[in-house]
Amino acid sequence: MDRVALRGLKARGHHGVFPEERREGQTFVVDLVLGLDTRPAAADDDLTKTVHYGIVAEEVVAVVEGEPVDLIETLAERIAQACLKHERVEEVEVRVHKPEAPITVPFDDVTVTITRSRV
């Protein structure tokens, strides 16, 4: 299976369990790795035979900016399901970064990574 990756998609969302997270929002960063067979697209140089990563990026940002959830695990699942709606995508790895998480000790990042497939 071939891979198409999008790294560092940024969007502001209002996800989290604390009222201030819901009220103020924060930046989330999403990395995607889409698994699909790119051979048909490459053979014919045809965008319709692959995944349009620009559209996927817009859809992912819409999920992050959309309905708030408590957990970034839930957010990652929603993103994965949006990616799998694309006919050619057979598998997706989603990593959601929450670099502004309300943690009381110094840290660089919090991430949740999931992998989902059609099977």
Side-chain angles (χ1 to χ4, degrees):
M1 191 173 315
D2 303 317
R3 303 278 184 238
V4 173
L6 290 94
R7 307 253 189 238
L9 296 171
K10 293 182 179 128
R12 190 155 186 86
H14 293 265
H15 311 289
V17 296
F18 297 116
E20 59 273 14
E21 293 181 288
R22 293 293 183 103
R23 184 177 55 253
E24 298 169 18
Q26 59 192 290
T27 300
F28 292 84
V29 181
V30 178
D31 301 323
L32 302 173
V33 180
L34 307 171
L36 64 149
D37 184 357
T38 63
R39 290 175 292 191
D44 295 337
D45 198 28
D46 185 348
L47 178 61
T48 66
K49 295 182 179 178
T50 188
V51 62
H52 191 309
Y53 51 79
I55 291 173
V56 171
E58 291 170 358
E59 292 171 352
V60 168
V61 166
V63 171
V64 174
E65 292 176 343
E67 180 184 347
V69 296
D70 288 344
L71 305 177
I72 58 174
E73 291 87 343
T74 306
L75 183 59
E77 184 67 34
R78 288 183 177 181
I79 292 168
Q81 294 310 313
C83 293
L84 289 171
K85 287 181 181 176
H86 291 266
E87 178 183 351
R88 305 257 179 208
V89 177
E90 298 174 29
E91 180 180 275
V92 62
E93 179 184 282
V94 177
R95 178 171 291 126
V96 177
H97 301 256
K98 189 175 180 180
E100 300 168 25
I103 297 176
T104 60
V105 297
F107 74 102
D108 289 330
D109 199 4
V110 173
T111 67
V112 168
T113 304
I114 65 170
T115 302
R116 300 290 182 265
S117 65
R118 294 188 180 281
V119 180

